[in-house]
Amino acid sequence: MGSGWWWRLITAALTGILCFHGVCQAQIAPNYTFVHQATSAAPVSYYDYIIVGGGTSGCPLAATLSQNARVLLIERGGSPYGNQNITNLGSFSATLADTSPSSPSQRFISEDGVFNARARVLGGGSCLNAGFYTRAGTDYVKAAGWDGALVNQSYQWVEKVVAFEPPMLQWQSAFRNGLLEAGILPYNGFTYDHIYGTKVGGTIFDRDGHRHTAADLLKYANPKGLTVLLHATAQSILFRTEGKLRPRAHGVLFKDAAGVEHRAYLSKGSMNEIVLSAGALGSPQLLMLSGVGPAQHLRSHNIKVIFDQPLVGQGMADNPMNAVFTPSPIPVEISLIQVVGITRLGTYIEAASGSNFGSPPSATPRDFGMFSPQTGQFSVVPPKQRTPEAIAKATEAMKALSNEAFRGGFIIEKIIGPLSSGHLQLRNTNPEDNPSVTFNYFQKPEDLQRCVDGITVIEKVIQSKAFSKFRYPYLSLQALLNMTLNFPVNLLPKHGNGSTSLEQFCKDTVMTIWHYHGGCQLDRVVDRNYKVFGVDGLRVIDGSTFHDSPGTNPQATVMMLGRYMGVKILNERLGRKRSN
Ligand SMILES: Cc1cc2nc3c(=O)[nH]c(=O)nc-3n(C[C@H](O)[C@H](O)[C@H](O)COP(=O)(O)OP(=O)(O)OC[C@H]3O[C@@H](n4cnc5c(N)ncnc54)[C@H](O)[C@@H]3O)c2cc1C
Ligand SMILES: *[C@@H]1O[C@H](CO)[C@@H](O)[C@H](O)[C@H]1NC(C)=O
Ligand SMILES: *[C@@H]1O[C@H](CO)[C@@H](O)[C@H](O)[C@H]1NC(C)=O
Ligand SMILES: *[C@@H]1O[C@H](CO)[C@@H](O)[C@H](O)[C@H]1NC(C)=O
Ligand SMILES: *[C@@H]1O[C@H](CO)[C@@H](O)[C@H](O)[C@H]1NC(C)=O
Ligand SMILES: *[C@@H]1O[C@H](CO)[C@@H](O)[C@H](O)[C@H]1NC(C)=O
């Protein structure tokens, strides 16, 4: 077995890995016969379900619905397959640093002044992210009103394809042991579960450092039931508004890469629906562009109001991330997130390591990095001062530093929640442009206290015995970083006189961990079945529905939700069919 060409092709079709004469080429595009460029689409077409956004939740949702219905999935970006920046762990920062219009990552800067990124590719944020895979806690599942058994089955469905146990090399192991020394107990070993203490979580990078994404979940699709269109940008949801009836969503207007308009409509059938899975920025933006949102705001952009809903765009939240860089006297492995300390202080501690901040081997040293200015992770000046000039200056300063200065790792903290939140507004009526977003980091004092407590834990980890070989003894570290004035990342905050408080350190060095959510929140914009209040035939299923970031990191739960709601919707559909 296993030597025939047919066997290799079948294996390749199933795994996306093609091997000839022992040489395997990973991540060859799976033979998805149902994926097409939107330019090839008919001007008008009909489906049972139209899903807008082929991201982290849209892909598992589409794969599931296709089992028993005709489904169209439209995604504004291209395919992730064959793009080494996406596939390779070491290239994490390359995509984030690429700000071209064709980049899988679209940069946005919140009104708070923090640089951020949103996905523009099939697979969504799972193609850009740091890979950490971990479930939501049982309390979170209860609060969302989800069925716990179906939640667990849905997580497992996802995990079979995209989740792996990380390798845990020396630096990550020292970090883990440091957390234990710092009292983040017990040690829970490798688990996807969300429980207090220190654990090794899952990752969507396999043992070869290759990324597996939500797009891989399309393997589950019924090819006869699914059409995926790439470079298809939804312009608006089309509503039927006859007489006094509630408005009903019945189609989507989208443009292909050549700017040509297409219309996809729901075929006849009362169960047929449109689902928005365009993410925490895209979904509220599209609702507003389609006339569902705060009436006055919509009118100010000459958008016809379908349903006045002031809560669309509200509850936008981004968990602040604060990071401390520890230069290492000895080489460290390149790693993204593998371990998390789940404290009882409302803060999660994670870490990543590498030389040159994890830049790809092929890149010019220090060109990019997980936390380098080019990716937008520029935290040595307060948010509002992160101007292009300041970033250029920091980039120049980095060039003058020795390589040793860049060997080490980042220990980061993310706070739970957060409690602080803001809002999203349209800047214009172009769906390709970013809306304006305000997150109000640390507006609530509890959030600030959690950050301060997290920094205190990070200090203990760095000072732990377990971590000692990966840090410079205090004095020589000072000597090495004599040039801290121009050092482009934050070291441990100074204590004592002449230094800023930890509160100020938190505010001044705040970055994003990209877990922003809200805008179409559960019980505010959508009901417990994720149906949009005030209109028929429309749901929102993605991270925009969250009140808090689930677990320590959200992607597992976002993918789970796509599968979970797909199963629920199909059950409703089949139940209704039987009773007819
Ligand atoms: C750099 C980075 C690192 C992260 N690290 C981690 C991590 O380690 N672990 C973790 O759990 N989470 C991590 N996250 C967060 C996680 O990836 C996101 O929370 C999750 O991907 C959000 O999923 P979503 O389905 O809500 O949105 P998305 O995955 O963003 O999907 C939305 C999709 O809709 C498409 N779209 C938007 N508008 C339109 C339109 N008008 N027409 C057509 N398509 C449209 C977009 O192109 C996109 O593909 C990270 C995120 C980023 C960006
Ligand atoms: C992919 O599938 C199509 C249709 O089934 C087939 O024509 C094509 O040869 C396949 N390609 C590969 C590389 O297997
Ligand atoms: C990979 O990233 C680099 C640096 O950002 C960029 O120049 C290049 O075009 C990217 N390659 C692909 C295939 O997207
Ligand atoms: C789901 O799994 C978690 C652990 O992963 C467990 O604690 C919980 O009881 C399970 N829920 C159900 C309803 O089976
Ligand atoms: C820092 O650099 C200055 C000037 O280059 C030097 O005089 C001083 O001794 C250095 N301090 C340390 C702690 O190495
Ligand atoms: C800081 O210095 C002032 C005097 O300049 C002193 O009163 C105060 O106690 C010092 N604080 C700390 C934390 O050392």
Side-chain angles (χ1 to χ4, degrees):
M1 282 278 278
S3 59
W5 61 269
W6 52 272
W7 179 253
R8 285 198 293 258
L9 278 184
I10 289 168
T11 311
L14 291 173
T15 62
I17 298 173
L18 193 56
C19 301
F20 283 103
H21 308 297
V23 179
C24 299
Q25 203 180 346
Q27 299 295 307
I28 284 184
N31 194 3
Y32 288 154
T33 52
F34 45 77
V35 178
H36 308 281
Q37 296 297 327
T39 41
S40 70
V44 175
S45 56
Y46 294 86
Y47 294 89
D48 299 336
Y49 293 98
I50 302 168
I51 302 169
V52 177
T56 312
S57 55
C59 288
L61 176 66
T64 303
L65 290 177
S66 74
Q67 294 303 330
N68 258 300
R70 292 194 62 237
V71 179
L72 173 66
L73 176 65
I74 58 179
E75 166 54 47
R76 64 181 184 147
S79 168
Y81 297 103
N83 184 334
Q84 299 300 311
N85 288 348
I86 290 175
T87 305
N88 296 330
L89 186 148
S91 306
F92 171 80
S93 51
T95 307
L96 294 181
D98 179 2
T99 54
S100 70
S102 63
S103 172
S105 163
Q106 181 179 17
R107 180 170 289 181
F108 72 97
I109 305 171
S110 65
E111 300 306 305
D112 312 273
V114 173
F115 285 58
N116 213 318
R118 56 192 291 227
R120 182 168 50 198
V121 59
L122 187 69
S126 68
C127 298
L128 310 182
N129 71 26
F132 199 55
Y133 182 96
T134 178
R135 295 181 178 189
T138 44
D139 288 355
Y140 191 97
V141 171
K142 212 174 282 168
W146 295 331
D147 165 354
L150 182 57
V151 163
N152 285 0
Q153 285 164 25
S154 301
Y155 276 127
Q156 282 163 10
W157 182 90
V158 170
E159 284 152 15
K160 264 189 220 146
V161 175
V162 305
F164 302 85
E165 184 175 350
M168 286 299 291
L169 302 180
Q170 287 212 2
W171 191 87
Q172 284 283 346
S173 302
F175 167 63
R176 173 196 59 199
N177 296 341
L179 277 170
L180 298 176
E181 249 182 78
I184 313 306
L185 297 164
Y187 178 52
N188 293 313
F190 168 63
T191 177
Y192 297 137
D193 289 347
H194 186 78
I195 27 182
Y196 287 119
T198 294
K199 71 166 190 174
V200 176
T203 172
I204 60 173
F205 290 98
D206 64 23
R207 280 298 167 111
D208 297 327
H210 293 146
R211 182 191 290 273
H212 296 256
T213 75
D216 293 10
L217 297 171
L218 292 171
K219 279 177 189 168
Y220 282 118
N222 166 15
K224 293 205 175 85
L226 181 61
T227 301
V228 177
L229 295 179
L230 300 178
H231 297 116
T233 306
Q235 310 291 304
S236 63
I237 311 297
L238 306 171
F239 288 93
R240 207 176 250 148
T241 54
E242 289 136 27
K244 290 226 157 99
L245 294 175
R246 262 158 71 99
R248 169 172 283 275
H250 74 129
V252 177
L253 173 67
F254 64 93
K255 276 189 187 169
D256 65 26
V260 175
E261 287 189 351
H262 303 251
R263 283 174 175 75
Y265 291 106
L266 294 179
S267 46
K268 279 217 174 76
S270 61
M271 302 301 283
N272 295 349
E273 287 177 296
I274 290 164
V275 184
L276 273 180
S277 298
L281 263 59
S283 288
Q285 179 186 25
L286 266 173
L287 274 184
M288 288 188 191
L289 291 177
S290 311
V292 178
Q296 264 196 334
H297 178 56
L298 301 190
R299 284 195 195 105
S300 74
H301 285 279
N302 291 321
I303 296 167
K304 185 186 159 204
V305 178
I306 297 289
F307 179 63
D308 177 13
Q309 169 53 289
L311 295 174
V312 172
Q314 294 299 309
M316 294 300 304
D318 191 26
N319 307 65
M321 175 175 81
N322 293 80
V324 170
F325 179 65
T326 39
S328 168
I330 58 172
V332 300
E333 73 259 20
I334 293 183
S335 70
L336 294 177
I337 317 294
Q338 301 184 354
V339 170
V340 61
I342 302 179
T343 72
R344 293 181 182 272
L345 304 164
T347 174
Y348 305 128
I349 318 292
E350 303 178 349
S353 64
S355 301
N356 300 331
F357 303 168
S359 65
S362 58
T364 317
R366 297 175 222 149
D367 261 3
F368 335 101
M370 180 156 179
F371 293 93
S372 71
Q374 289 94 327
T375 67
Q377 294 296 68
F378 179 56
S379 58
V380 281
V381 297
K384 296 255 160 91
Q385 294 170 31
R386 296 174 193 171
T387 59
E389 296 74 33
I391 289 172
K393 209 176 129 204
T395 309
E396 272 310 298
M398 280 167 83
K399 289 186 185 152
L401 297 174
S402 68
N403 279 323
E404 288 75 56
F406 295 92
R407 188 172 61 201
F410 289 88
I411 303 189
I412 66 176
E413 68 148 322
K414 166 198 175 178
I415 64 162
I416 198 170
L419 293 171
S420 311
S421 70
H423 63 279
L424 173 151
Q425 282 192 316
L426 299 175
R427 284 185 209 280
N428 58 36
T429 53
N430 184 353
E432 320 248 1
D433 286 349
N434 288 317
S436 123
V437 194
T438 308
F439 293 120
N440 294 319
Y441 298 101
F442 299 125
Q443 196 181 52
K444 301 273 190 210
E446 293 92 330
D447 286 347
L448 192 56
Q449 186 57 45
R450 284 170 175 157
C451 176
V452 168
D453 290 346
I455 298 294
T456 310
V457 175
I458 291 177
E459 287 173 341
K460 285 187 190 153
V461 173
I462 292 175
Q463 278 142 20
S464 70
K465 221 190 274 155
F467 201 72
S468 60
K469 70 176 170 186
F470 290 111
R471 66 160 191 265
Y472 282 92
Y474 184 69
L475 277 178
S476 48
L477 172 62
Q478 285 300 78
L480 175 72
L481 301 171
N482 198 355
M483 61 299 233
T484 44
L485 209 60
N486 288 321
F487 202 58
V489 288
N490 304 303
L491 304 166
L492 269 176
K494 293 193 199 81
H495 286 261
N497 257 341
S499 69
T500 51
S501 64
L502 287 186
E503 280 84 357
Q504 198 62 42
F505 179 84
C506 283
K507 288 185 190 165
D508 287 350
T509 69
V510 66
M511 290 179 279
T512 180
I513 191 168
W514 308 280
H515 297 173
Y516 53 87
H517 51 273
C520 303
Q521 287 178 313
L522 194 68
D523 298 332
R524 300 181 85 196
V525 173
V526 296
D527 68 14
R528 294 258 156 157
N529 292 312
Y530 294 80
K531 293 186 174 174
V532 177
F533 288 122
V535 300
D536 286 329
L538 183 62
R539 303 199 207 211
V540 180
I541 299 172
D542 60 23
S544 72
T545 63
F546 294 162
H547 286 255
D548 296 296
S549 183
T552 62
N553 299 62
Q555 70 166 336
T557 305
V558 179
M559 287 190 256
M560 182 282 293
L561 184 63
R563 168 64 180 173
Y564 175 94
M565 284 309 299
V567 170
K568 285 239 171 195
I569 293 172
L570 270 192
N571 284 347
E572 282 171 32
R573 182 180 192 86
L574 301 176
R576 173 71 68 92
K577 257 191 187 156
R578 249 176 273 138
S579 66
N580 274 353

